[in-house]
Amino acid sequence: MGSPNNHTGLDNGAVLSPIERIQMTEGSLVIASALHLLLGGSGLMGKLMKYIGPLTIAPTIVMIGISLFRPALELSEGHWGITALTFIIFMAMTAYLGHLSLPIPVWTRKKGCHKIRYPILQIIAVLAALAGGWLLSYILTVTGMITDDPTLVEYEARSDAKLDTIHRAEWFYFPYPGQFGPPSFSLPLFTGMVVCVLMSIVESLGDYVAVSRICETPYPPRHALNRGVLVEGISSVVSAVFGVGHGTTSYSEMISIIGLTKVNTSATNRDVEL
């Protein structure tokens, strides 16, 4: 076994360094993304939509959402008080205060500077929740109410827990293809990515339909579904070439944010009012 600082595990009996694993991920992801491109570019997904209904899409999205519960739990266990405050602020501004339209100044060519009423609290709910959680974390940090022992889970709740990242980061950095060396290939990794690609496509089709219903727009036509899958495949290839390490897909959580904040609906109402 090599040094733990230079190696991160085994693959087919060989110890690989982090850079070698990135190269293997790049190559496997590029080839797996070809399936994304094929299904989207060929127009096959639009034709298959008549066989993919709510009973196919809903369980897939639910299972993906459930799988994200553990990361959320791990990020929250550092300090449940901060987590609770963030959640309360978000829910209060979306579910209880979202209907309030507050006066804000705007400018248009027709009317110049004037005032309109706008549900601004609902729009900034996510930002306000994050700011409120960070402010509480900062107060608890400077007052010494959160441990400064990096070995404890609670340390992650400090506002300065990752401050060294800013100091270590370069002022300017431009990513470029092949920055981690030539890509390689792993059959087990490729197989897992193909499964993820298929799940991602099913989720994306459900996301497209869900966001159209939330925004009260017509059901997306077949060519739009095909184009969406195709663009996701292209984005996944770009991600792999630049060494990002993961594919690109639509995100169900972002659609739920649209449903809670009503960003699209509010913007439409505002345009009508203006």
Side-chain angles (χ1 to χ4, degrees):
M1 296 287 293
S3 169
N5 295 327
N6 297 325
H7 304 86
T8 58
L10 300 173
D11 186 87
N12 295 328
V15 180
L16 301 176
S17 67
I19 294 298
E20 290 174 325
R21 288 185 172 274
I22 293 176
Q23 294 170 349
M24 189 173 294
T25 301
E26 290 180 359
S28 302
L29 181 57
V30 167
I31 301 177
S33 298
L35 179 61
H36 237 137
L37 296 172
L38 176 63
L39 293 176
S42 64
L44 184 61
M45 291 314 305
K47 296 180 180 179
L48 291 178
M49 271 303 294
K50 60 181 179 180
Y51 303 107
I52 302 177
L55 293 180
T56 305
I57 297 173
T60 303
I61 296 179
V62 169
M63 293 303 296
I64 293 174
I66 293 176
S67 67
L68 296 175
F69 175 78
R70 184 172 296 276
L73 179 63
E74 293 174 352
L75 293 172
S76 300
E77 63 183 0
H79 199 290
W80 287 103
I82 297 176
T83 301
L85 177 64
T86 305
F87 177 77
I88 291 173
I89 293 176
F90 178 77
M91 290 303 298
M93 297 186 68
T94 55
Y96 299 101
L97 301 177
H99 66 283
L100 297 178
S101 296
L102 303 180
I104 60 172
V106 297
W107 180 89
T108 61
R109 290 184 177 181
K110 292 183 177 180
K111 297 183 179 181
C113 293
H114 62 286
K115 181 178 65 175
I116 65 171
R117 303 192 68 86
Y118 195 78
I120 189 66
L121 295 180
Q122 194 173 46
I123 303 301
I124 66 172
V126 176
L127 180 61
L130 293 175
W134 186 91
L135 180 60
L136 177 59
S137 173
Y138 176 76
I139 295 174
L140 296 178
T141 299
V142 298
T143 56
M145 298 183 67
I146 300 181
T147 181
D148 57 357
D149 185 357
T151 62
L152 299 178
V153 177
E154 185 183 346
Y155 178 81
E156 295 296 324
R158 292 180 61 91
S159 60
D160 58 356
K162 302 295 179 64
L163 196 60
D164 62 311
T165 304
I166 299 177
H167 297 293
R168 290 187 289 104
E170 300 180 12
W171 279 92
F172 298 99
Y173 180 79
F174 298 95
Y176 55 90
Q179 57 185 320
F180 299 108
S184 57
F185 179 78
S186 169
L187 182 58
L189 187 59
F190 165 75
T191 304
M193 286 185 174
V194 169
V195 175
C196 292
V197 165
L198 295 176
M199 292 182 61
S200 168
I201 291 174
V202 174
E203 180 194 13
S204 295
L205 294 176
D207 290 343
Y208 301 157
V209 175
V211 75
S212 67
R213 296 189 64 177
I214 290 176
C215 297
E216 300 179 358
T217 60
Y219 188 89
R222 291 184 178 181
H223 63 81
L225 299 175
N226 291 323
R227 188 165 58 245
V229 174
L230 175 64
V231 171
E232 289 185 9
I234 296 174
S235 301
S236 295
V237 172
V238 174
S239 298
V241 171
F242 279 83
V244 175
H246 59 78
T248 301
T249 182
S250 59
Y251 221 56
S252 305
E253 289 75 5
M254 297 299 101
I255 298 176
S256 65
I257 293 297
I258 295 177
L260 289 172
T261 61
K262 307 297 182 184
V263 172
N264 182 277
T265 304
S266 298
T268 303
N269 292 340
R270 184 196 64 177
D271 294 338
V272 171
E273 181 178 356
L274 292 179

